[in-house]
């Protein structure tokens, strides 16, 4: 039993570390936008919005996977439908990345995913610590969106 608990703790630390490391590309996009720097023709705004849309889609994929793997989940249909809707919203935000509504829509989508996840609980209880970290990272990502909005409209 003890080795199982240690394995869960190690796994949670890995997930936590990857979640916090995942904020770095948002910061890179902010710095690129602030410095008006382009990399291979990609400006900071596109970098940031594309990465944000990809991560949002990844989070929705977690819901999709949860729905596929938990046939007994009471909110299975909601997870499947919401994962698609939020993913499409992220895709539209990417398509219209030059429009002022794109970043606020993405930020709101992250908050929606975090709140819905807390309510729907798509994963097993032993990930509770991970989802606490995910909530903190979500708020950090939303803050990055607000900073990027400030940088773009300075």
């Amino acid at each position: 039993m003890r080795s199982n608990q240690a394995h869960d703790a190690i796994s949670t630390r890995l997930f936590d570390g990857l979640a916090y490391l995942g904020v770095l590309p948002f910061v890179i996009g902010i710095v690129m936008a602030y410095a008006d720097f382009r990399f291979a023709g990609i400006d900071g705004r596109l970098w940031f919005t594309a990465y944000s849309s990809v991560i949002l889609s990844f989070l929705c994929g977690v819901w999709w996977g949860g729905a596929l793997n938990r046939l007994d989940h009471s909110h299975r249909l909601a997870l499947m439908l919401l994962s698609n809707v939020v993913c499409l919203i992220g895709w539209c935000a990417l398509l219209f990345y030059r429009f002022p509504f794109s970043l606020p829509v993405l930020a709101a989508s992250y908050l929606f995913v975090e709140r819905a996840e807390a309510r729907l609980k798509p994963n097993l209880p032993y990930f509770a610590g991970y989802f606490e970290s995910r909530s903190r990272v979500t708020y950090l990502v939303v803050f990055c969106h607000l900073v990027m909005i400030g940088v773009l409209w300075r």
Side-chain angles (χ1 to χ4, degrees):
M1 178 91 170
R2 183 158 172 81
S3 64
N4 230 3
Q5 290 172 338
H7 182 277
D8 289 345
I10 291 169
S11 295
T12 299
R13 275 184 277 181
L14 175 63
F15 291 139
D16 291 349
L18 290 173
Y20 283 104
L21 191 59
V23 175
L24 185 59
F26 287 109
V27 174
I28 291 170
I30 291 168
V31 170
M32 286 175 66
Y34 184 77
D36 200 24
F37 176 77
R38 292 180 177 271
F39 178 74
I42 298 170
D43 64 5
R45 185 180 201 160
L46 178 57
W47 174 288
F48 188 97
T49 308
Y51 183 71
S52 182
S53 297
V54 167
I55 295 302
L56 188 62
S57 295
F58 171 78
L59 295 175
C60 292
V62 171
W63 283 6
W64 185 266
L68 288 176
N69 291 313
R70 301 276 315 274
L71 299 177
D72 62 331
H73 196 286
S74 60
H75 299 293
R76 184 171 184 253
L77 181 60
L79 286 170
M80 291 176 72
L81 294 175
L82 286 174
S83 70
N84 282 275
V85 169
V86 175
C87 191
L88 288 172
I89 288 169
W91 180 67
C92 288
L94 176 56
L95 286 177
F96 297 102
Y97 80 99
R98 289 275 179 203
F99 288 81
F101 63 81
S102 181
L103 292 174
V105 163
L106 284 167
S109 296
Y110 277 95
L111 292 173
F112 174 79
V113 167
E114 193 274 334
R115 288 291 78 214
E117 207 161 71
R119 186 167 180 258
L120 298 175
K121 301 188 187 331
N123 294 297
L124 300 173
Y126 56 82
F127 284 120
Y130 166 70
F131 284 107
E132 289 174 13
S133 293
R134 269 277 306 282
S135 289
R136 287 191 294 271
V137 171
T138 295
Y139 297 126
L140 185 57
V141 165
V142 169
F143 176 74
C144 287
H145 281 74
L146 296 174
V147 170
M148 181 57 115
I149 290 167
V151 165
L152 293 175
W153 284 276
R154 61 185 158 109

